[in-house]
Amino acid sequence: MSFAHRHLLGIEPLSQSDIITILDLADKYAAFNRSRHKHSDALAGRTQINMFFENSTRTQASFELAGKRLGADVMSMAMAASSIKKGETLVDTALTLNAMHPDLLVVRHPHSGAVDLLSQKVNCAVLNAGDGRHEHPTQALLDALTIRRAKGRLHRLTVAICGDIAHSRVARSNIMLLGKMENRIRLVGPPTLMPARVSEFGVEVTSDMREGLEGADVVMMLRLQKERMDGGFIPSEREYYHRFGLTAEKLAHAKPDAIVMHPGPMNRGVEIDGDVADDVTRSVIQEQVEMGVAVRMAAMDLLARNLEERTDGEEGVLV
Amino acid sequence: MTQTLFENAKLIDPEAQTEAIGDLLVTDGLITALGETATQEAGERAERVDCKGLCLAPGIVDIGVKVGEPGERHKESYASAAAAAAAGGVTTMVIRPDTALTIDTPEALEFVKRRANEDSAVNVLPLAALTKGRQGREMTEIGFLMDAGAVGFSDCDAVVTDTKVFQRALTYAQSLGALVIGHPQEPGLTEGACATSGKFASLRGLPAVSPMAERMGLDRDIALLEMTGARYHADQITTARALPALERAKRNGLSITAGTSIHHLTLNELDVSDYRTFFKLKPPLRSEDDRMATVEAVASGLIDIISSMHTPQDEESKRLPFEEAAAGAVALETLLPAAMRLVHVGALTLAQLFRAVSLNPANLLGLPSGRLSPGAPADLMLFDPDKPFMLDRSTLHSKSKNTPFDGARLQGKVRATYVDGRKVFG
């Protein structure tokens, strides 16, 4: 099992085999998490710091739990309310934390590229927990694991990604990952919420849900941010729901065994109908949350193994 | 009488569009003769400079240089900017008013002139703001500012959004024959953008603006020129789509010229790569197609002027996430070697290059410099067009080192710079 990366900043630098390595290990952790004794020492002695410059409950909790189950010392900092507001630059914050010798830094930031920048200034492993509208790699990996478990494979599937593609880092990472694994990707959404030149990403683009969902194996819904609902990008919430909200009727155009996914938190009645979201035969939304912890354990475990090799010889000072 | 005879130089003459080996005679700070006449007229006591076949060209007249005074002297002082200019062959810096304290009153302009006088060995000509505080609401004292020495009026990258305010300012400026320098960008589309829309910006997840915003801004400004008849210069034209509008406006006899920045001629959006903030510019770097169209427009003369758009930024304002980082790059010292890339690939001749960096800007401002002709001030640069080197940003004279060419392989080095016949570098 080889995973030759220092950081996990995005899906873009990963190869097919990197992705499979993470997913295979995550599968094991998924079983481990269902067991009675879910505690390992894989990260014992390691310090994990979660820096969230943007509010998050789910992702932060998932990373925290993942670290704890692997035996790391975990600290979470709500950066949105801290010194960054006092004018300290991101790089200075990074250098300050770096001086405390963390092994793993988990970072979320509202600006694209901010996590890349931070990773250049520290000598620990950095995990991108979402940067602006750029990438959210662990989300794409947990989606991939969920798909692989539900469909038995992660290639030659037709995946429809629906909603606000333009502002979504989840969409970018998923397009990247599913593309690398050789799937057919369709993007569905209003043209005002599509990135420029998106057709050059090797995807099909449509603004018709029924056409986009036709024959799909996987229907991936995206969250529509509240601030984008009124007038600016779409006329109204109710028109959006009418044209792009996932209902049983629209879902009927997908394959009969198609699964429904959503990265959460959901806006029931905006991008997804409550009945579809809660339909246990179709919706794998809860499974996604479960796989999230497993994937993050796998990613941190793999990065920490590389860390060990790099700091070899410096250890054991106190032991 | 002091005389200097530059012998055996490759004389780059942007007026005649020629490059030929010959001599050039400078007498008391003025160019007095060229070619064989120069050799004959040189007195016995004339100092002789053997140029060894290197290029001798009129010094660069750089429209749109930002110096950090007043207010941000730690980014660039008059002393450091002048040293950088001299090292880059820039003999006249035309200073932008978008300093921390806007240069929008005759008093502020006096300060700038005094500081420049004290600390700069190269010529400094100031621009003044077109509206107070560059707020786009009230016009500045254009008459007084001209009396105080302002050579043009510009709100720099702050577009005068209120078309009526802009129309009145242009009308008033026209009555005084004042030059107005505009930033042709549609402000609504541009707001919040830090990249040019396209596949690259979409992949990187950066807020982006369509290149069309430039044409829309230019179209509006051209319509206002038809109304007012003002003298207008577009600071930076960087997209293919703006060019036909510019060409039409010129053909229709409007008093319009256009510039572009050296960075938009030599770099494209892909150079931003992994969010490198030294490549964050305003307007943002464009596609390769736009870059090539802009280079062609400079060669044909449709775009008149190449500027450095020298914008010093300290580490603090660049070491930020791309969206939050300050825009701009220093370029006084890298203008020539960067432009030589275009010469070496055959996109521009040396004579075309110096038409764009020296002759045209001098003509626009009514200066006698920018040419190699008898009577012109001896503002000259001597450079080796082929000398290869790797740029190390720590060697720059600017206080700020935010160049996108750090570590770049460049060709072309300034050997000496003269202002009014005095050697200021080399």
Side-chain angles (χ1 to χ4, degrees):
Chain A
M1 197 156 35
S2 83
F3 184 76
H5 295 273
R6 193 175 152 198
H7 308 296
L8 180 64
L9 299 176
I11 299 297
E12 200 183 357
L14 300 185
S15 67
Q16 255 191 22
S17 78
D18 288 333
I19 293 166
I20 292 166
T21 301
I22 299 175
L23 297 185
D24 287 350
L25 183 59
D27 246 336
K28 291 185 187 136
Y29 278 124
F32 173 83
N33 285 340
R34 286 181 181 179
S35 71
R36 166 70 181 80
H37 183 82
K38 35 188 168 291
H39 187 90
S40 110
D41 286 330
L43 294 183
R46 297 291 188 191
T47 305
Q48 172 194 342
I49 301 182
N50 299 332
M51 294 168 77
F52 280 65
F53 293 89
E54 207 178 58
N55 292 328
S56 155
T57 316
R58 312 156 66 94
T59 308
Q60 187 170 332
S62 182
F63 268 108
E64 214 172 304
L65 198 55
K68 285 183 171 160
R69 286 195 177 152
L70 293 175
D73 298 313
V74 186
M75 180 172 84
S76 287
M77 301 176 68
M79 303 305 293
S82 84
S83 56
I84 205 85
K85 285 260 163 72
K86 296 177 203 150
E88 191 179 50
T89 67
L90 178 64
V91 171
D92 286 334
T93 308
L95 292 174
T96 305
L97 282 176
N98 192 47
M100 301 179 193
H101 298 292
D103 300 290
L104 295 153
L105 267 184
V106 178
V107 187
R108 168 171 288 190
H109 198 281
H111 292 311
S112 304
V115 184
D116 288 52
L117 173 69
L118 199 141
S119 73
Q120 294 159 20
K121 310 290 175 186
V122 297
N123 40 31
C124 59
V126 176
L127 287 100
N128 182 359
D131 64 322
R133 29 175 116 161
H134 178 219
E135 283 230 45
H136 190 355
T138 55
Q139 178 71 43
L141 287 162
L142 75 87
D143 288 342
L145 183 60
T146 308
I147 294 170
R148 197 173 77 169
R149 289 166 68 104
K151 292 282 153 199
R153 66 175 201 273
L154 190 56
H155 58 274
R156 291 197 206 162
L157 294 168
T158 300
V159 183
I161 306 178
C162 315
D164 181 0
I165 313 285
H167 300 98
S168 175
R169 52 193 173 217
V170 176
R172 273 178 189 70
S173 288
N174 265 312
I175 292 168
M176 214 77 80
L177 190 151
L178 294 167
K180 281 178 197 275
M181 302 310 291
E182 295 167 20
N183 294 284
R184 183 171 178 186
I185 303 167
R186 291 202 198 122
L187 304 182
V188 193
T192 46
L193 294 174
M194 282 292 168
R197 304 284 189 97
V198 69
S199 54
E200 293 174 23
F201 287 23
V203 296
E204 298 161 46
V205 183
T206 170
S207 54
D208 180 328
M209 276 291 269
R210 289 165 188 88
E211 185 189 316
L213 262 50
E214 198 62 52
D217 298 288
V218 177
V219 180
M220 206 178 263
M221 301 305 297
L222 297 172
R223 177 179 165 77
L224 184 68
Q225 302 286 339
K226 274 259 185 283
E227 62 269 25
R228 304 208 167 95
M229 287 180 196
D230 304 313
F233 292 89
I234 52 163
S236 70
E237 208 176 300
R238 61 183 191 180
E239 179 160 332
Y240 185 82
Y241 178 68
H242 176 70
R243 294 190 59 204
F244 299 100
L246 186 65
T247 56
E249 181 269 319
K250 291 190 192 106
L251 184 57
H253 290 261
K255 282 198 185 142
D257 63 345
I259 56 169
V260 174
M261 308 178 77
H262 192 296
M266 277 181 285
N267 298 305
R268 286 191 170 79
V270 180
E271 70 258 359
I272 191 162
D273 181 76
D275 291 344
V276 175
D278 300 331
D279 178 356
V280 288
T281 62
R282 311 300 292 273
S283 164
V284 292
I285 295 169
Q286 295 310 315
E287 167 118 349
Q288 284 175 277
V289 178
E290 184 189 350
M291 291 310 122
V293 179
V295 152
R296 286 166 184 133
M297 288 167 81
M300 290 197 289
D301 185 0
L302 288 167
L303 289 174
R305 291 181 202 183
N306 291 343
L307 218 52
E308 212 140 43
E309 282 159 30
R310 286 195 311 113
T311 55
D312 210 20
E314 291 171 24
E315 281 188 42
V317 179
L318 294 172
V319 185
Chain B
M1 188 174 78
T2 54
Q3 282 192 323
T4 310
L5 182 68
F6 293 89
E7 295 177 303
N8 189 26
K10 186 173 178 187
L11 300 174
I12 315 294
D13 185 340
E15 272 182 313
Q17 286 290 298
T18 56
E19 330 169 351
I21 294 285
D23 297 354
L24 181 142
L25 182 67
V26 173
T27 311
D28 291 335
L30 296 178
I31 297 171
T32 45
L34 286 107
E36 281 176 25
T37 350
T39 328
Q40 289 156 9
E41 285 183 11
E44 276 199 6
R45 290 196 309 182
E47 186 197 343
R48 282 159 200 271
V49 177
D50 182 2
C51 298
K52 297 175 182 154
L54 296 183
C55 296
L56 188 67
I60 296 170
V61 178
D62 194 359
I63 297 184
V65 174
K66 181 163 173 184
V67 178
E69 296 187 46
E72 290 178 314
R73 207 153 148 187
H74 66 288
K75 291 189 177 177
E76 192 84 287
S77 67
Y78 272 97
S80 63
V90 175
T91 50
T92 301
M93 294 193 284
V94 182
I95 298 297
R96 300 211 306 256
D98 58 340
T99 31
L101 236 110
T102 307
I103 301 166
D104 56 0
T105 61
E107 292 76 15
L109 202 73
E110 290 296 342
F111 169 83
V112 165
K113 277 166 53 187
R114 181 171 62 76
R115 291 292 303 125
N117 249 330
E118 286 165 358
D119 277 354
S120 172
V122 305
N123 302 312
V124 174
L125 297 172
L127 298 171
L130 183 67
T131 67
K132 290 173 187 160
R134 302 196 298 127
Q135 298 286 311
R137 285 196 285 271
E138 304 161 61
M139 69 179 90
T140 52
E141 295 171 312
I142 295 175
F144 278 154
L145 284 160
M146 284 180 85
D147 293 344
V151 297
F153 295 84
S154 178
D155 279 358
C156 303
D157 61 0
V159 177
V160 182
T161 313
D162 187 326
T163 306
K164 190 166 254 172
V165 171
F166 197 38
Q167 181 227 318
R168 287 183 185 143
L170 285 166
T171 304
Y172 193 85
Q174 192 275 336
S175 73
L176 293 166
L179 172 70
V180 174
I181 300 180
H183 182 69
Q185 295 294 333
E186 207 290 312
L189 285 180
T190 314
E191 202 189 334
C194 60
T196 303
S197 65
K199 187 184 176 191
F200 178 77
S202 290
L203 272 172
R204 286 287 180 270
L206 291 172
V209 57
S210 164
M212 196 62 96
E214 185 168 296
R215 190 182 103 191
M216 292 169 73
L218 185 64
D219 275 338
R220 180 196 74 155
D221 290 2
I222 287 172
L224 287 172
L225 295 188
E226 279 188 38
M227 286 167 71
T228 61
R231 284 176 65 213
Y232 175 94
H233 174 69
D235 66 346
Q236 297 180 73
I237 295 295
T238 60
T239 61
R241 280 185 173 134
L243 295 172
L246 176 64
E247 201 268 325
R248 246 188 340 269
K250 283 189 163 186
R251 189 157 21 95
N252 292 343
L254 296 179
S255 180
I256 183 171
T257 51
T260 192
S261 95
I262 185 63
H263 296 123
H264 289 92
L265 291 174
T266 50
L267 303 168
N268 69 27
E269 57 184 354
L270 301 180
D271 287 302
V272 169
S273 167
D274 288 325
Y275 305 99
R276 292 151 76 189
T277 56
F278 281 11
F279 292 79
K280 180 174 177 179
L281 303 172
K282 211 172 170 186
L285 285 171
R286 306 301 195 184
S287 68
E288 178 62 6
D289 288 348
D290 279 333
R291 185 193 72 84
M292 292 200 331
T294 309
V295 171
E296 248 173 66
V298 171
S300 74
L302 177 58
I303 290 179
D304 304 85
I305 291 169
I306 302 173
S307 293
S308 70
M309 295 312 285
H310 182 81
T311 305
Q313 299 288 3
D314 55 14
E315 304 284 310
E316 189 95 318
S317 46
K318 281 288 187 186
R319 283 200 324 186
L320 290 170
F322 197 81
E323 282 171 61
E324 291 183 318
V330 293
L332 281 166
E333 278 163 271
T334 48
L335 176 54
L336 178 86
M340 287 308 293
R341 279 188 173 176
L342 302 172
V343 174
H344 287 301
V345 299
L348 285 182
T349 65
L350 279 168
Q352 283 170 335
L353 171 61
F354 281 86
R355 179 179 67 194
V357 297
S358 302
L359 178 66
N360 285 344
N363 283 343
L364 180 64
L365 302 174
L367 307 176
S369 59
R371 68 207 81 211
L372 297 186
S373 56
D379 292 356
L380 301 166
M381 66 189 290
L382 183 67
F383 67 96
D384 181 339
D386 301 318
K387 174 72 182 171
F389 67 102
M390 197 190 278
L391 185 84
D392 171 359
R393 70 188 182 110
S394 68
T395 63
L396 295 177
H397 292 76
S398 281
K399 278 197 184 179
S400 296
K401 315 288 186 194
N402 54 309
T403 172
F405 293 112
D406 187 37
R409 288 163 205 281
L410 297 165
Q411 241 184 310
K413 264 214 145 158
V414 178
R415 292 299 183 201
T417 306
Y418 300 82
V419 174
D420 293 326
R422 270 178 303 114
K423 196 177 199 179
V424 295
F425 174 78

